[in-house]
Amino acid sequence: MFCSWKSEQYKDHFEAGKYVCSKCNHDLFTSKSKYQHSSPWPAFTETIAENSLSKYEESPGALKVSCGKCGQGLGHEFLRDGPNGKSRF
């Protein structure tokens, strides 16, 4: 499950599996795209599917993201801020 902002418990969780929306169970990320990062939240390089997230530009280099099914806010996608120039979610 992908956590809510109130209680982060998956930042250091690296077991195989997938991360889903905590509100509607929509598939968001897989453990294969998760990586260690200095932010206080889990960090991923890509989504499971194109429709996993809804996005809109909040500022240059940062997109606001929400669940692609129910619209729950999930934070940001930082463009070219992940490993090898990939995005960081």
Side-chain angles (χ1 to χ4, degrees), residues 14-43:
F14 285 93
E15 293 179 26
K18 64 182 177 179
Y19 293 80
V20 301
C21 176
S22 63
K23 186 175 179 181
C24 74
N25 285 340
H26 187 59
D27 291 347
L28 302 173
F29 306 100
T30 110
S31 57
K32 291 178 185 177
S33 71
K34 189 172 189 291
Y35 69 99
Q36 197 73 22
H37 189 269
S38 61
S39 74
W41 300 283

Side-chain angles (χ1 to χ4, degrees), residues 1-2 6 16 18 26 29 36 39-40 43 49 51 60 67 72:
M1 291 271 209
F2 193 79
K6 296 175 187 145
K18 64 182 177 179
H26 187 59
F29 306 100
Q36 197 73 22
S39 74
N51 70 347
C67 174
Q72 174 170 270

Side-chain angles (χ1 to χ4, degrees), residues 52-69:
S52 292
L53 302 176
S54 295
K55 310 174 191 182
Y56 69 87
E57 186 173 7
E58 185 173 69
S59 62
L63 306 176
K64 189 76 173 167
V65 297
S66 58
C67 174
K69 183 176 180 182

